[in-house]
Amino acid sequence: MKRIHIVAMLCLVVAVSVVSAAGASAPIGVDTAKERAQDFLNAPDATVQYQKTERLNLGEYYVFGTGDGQIYVNARTGAVERATFDSARKDSRDVRLDRAAAEATARAYAEEKYSGFGKKNMRLTRSDLVSHGDAGSEYSYIWREEISGVLTPNTVVVNLNPSTGEIISYLGIQREIECSLEPKLSRDEALKIAAGQFPGIRVTNATADLSVGYTRPDAQTLTWVITIRGEPVDHVLQGGLVIIDAQTGEVLMVSPYL
């Protein structure tokens, strides 16, 4: 389960990382961003304290503390793209919510907070109960927009307490698609290249998804995101995650199983 979780999160990081905040639009300002944060909380009088302006791979953000976590407001668009709620992690060791109820709760939150969620073709790419040992557990859901069989950077992540159903964290990314969605490299060609990154591997299973990612600043790239699993050697699992440029065949990233 741990290896699967790592691969899933690596795919997500590649999909939505290095997004530039530069552009024609000017920063919205701290005061406006604070109002957006309060609107997100559905509490116009909520205590929201500006902490810093932070430049991350996903863009430039105004970061606010809520006393119970943090909210990241995109400095250019005003969208809340990240929110955490620390108190929601309490009493998360017992699983009282079944998977159907948990997914319904997460989906309802995504539909409320992510503009246009119901109008996009959002594919559920991850649905797991993740254990953090003594720290408790959380249900984790990831939706990615899919266009013509291609996963886009438009992503929603909702994590919630399996005991209480409270939202622990939220991530919501929306970006315009700026690259071609037609690959020059076929799936079979991509799989052959991916297997070649693990000399001697005897492949037992492989998945391949077309995905738009930001593999360098300001430039979207159509990629093949491939997971390769091979027969164990000395009880060690073989294979890992490989990211390949779907137009040129260039190997952009290799992450072996740990």
Side-chain angles (χ1 to χ4, degrees):
M1 176 64 71
K2 183 177 181 182
R3 291 189 181 98
I4 295 173
H5 175 64
I6 291 171
V7 169
M9 294 313 295
L10 281 171
C11 289
L12 176 61
V13 168
V14 170
V16 301
S17 63
V18 200
V19 180
S20 172
S25 60
I28 62 173
V30 172
D31 291 341
T32 300
K34 180 178 178 179
E35 292 175 1
R36 300 294 174 84
Q38 291 171 321
D39 288 344
F40 183 87
L41 295 172
N42 296 325
D45 297 325
T47 300
V48 175
Q49 184 174 4
Y50 171 75
Q51 293 180 332
K52 58 184 175 180
T53 298
E54 187 170 357
R55 172 69 176 172
L56 301 175
N57 284 343
L58 289 175
E60 183 179 359
Y61 293 90
Y62 297 117
V63 183
F64 296 91
T66 64
D68 183 40
Q70 288 184 312
I71 291 181
Y72 283 65
V73 181
N74 189 300
R76 304 286 170 164
T77 67
V80 172
E81 295 190 348
R82 177 182 170 188
T84 59
F85 306 99
D86 297 337
S87 65
R89 296 185 181 278
K90 296 178 181 178
D91 304 319
S92 62
R93 294 184 182 182
D94 296 330
V95 180
R96 295 190 174 94
L97 230 61
D98 63 31
R99 290 182 179 271
E103 182 178 333
T105 299
R107 180 178 290 274
Y109 193 83
E111 290 174 346
E112 176 189 354
K113 301 301 184 183
Y114 188 86
S115 176
F117 184 91
K119 298 179 180 179
K120 296 181 184 295
N121 181 28
M122 302 300 288
R123 170 179 155 190
L124 184 63
T125 61
R126 173 179 169 81
S127 173
D128 281 334
L129 177 62
V130 181
S131 174
H132 299 297
D134 291 341
S137 302
E138 63 184 3
Y139 278 117
S140 182
Y141 298 93
I142 299 175
W143 288 270
R144 296 271 307 277
E145 182 190 29
E146 187 175 64
I147 299 175
S148 301
V150 179
L151 295 172
T152 79
N154 297 328
T155 304
V156 181
V157 183
V158 179
N159 296 326
L160 60 101
N161 187 313
S163 178
T164 65
E166 292 180 272
I167 303 301
I168 292 174
S169 61
Y170 163 86
L171 176 75
I173 304 299
Q174 291 211 48
R175 302 291 185 266
E176 295 294 329
I177 308 306
E178 300 171 346
C179 69
S180 170
L181 300 183
E182 293 293 332
K184 294 180 180 178
L185 194 72
S186 71
R187 181 180 187 274
D188 288 344
E189 290 170 331
L191 287 169
K192 184 176 180 180
I193 293 172
Q197 307 310 303
F198 307 101
I201 191 172
R202 299 180 66 178
V203 178
T204 59
N205 186 48
T207 64
D209 286 305
L210 280 171
S211 176
V212 175
Y214 287 81
T215 56
R216 59 186 187 278
D218 304 327
Q220 292 181 354
T221 303
L222 182 64
T223 65
W224 282 106
V225 178
I226 297 174
T227 57
I228 293 283
R229 185 185 294 268
E231 291 183 1
V233 175
D234 296 329
H235 306 291
V236 177
L237 190 63
Q238 303 298 299
L241 173 71
V242 183
I243 310 295
I244 300 171
D245 189 314
Q247 307 298 2
T248 67
E250 178 187 358
V251 176
L252 303 173
M253 175 180 167
V254 178
S255 178
Y257 286 123
L258 302 178

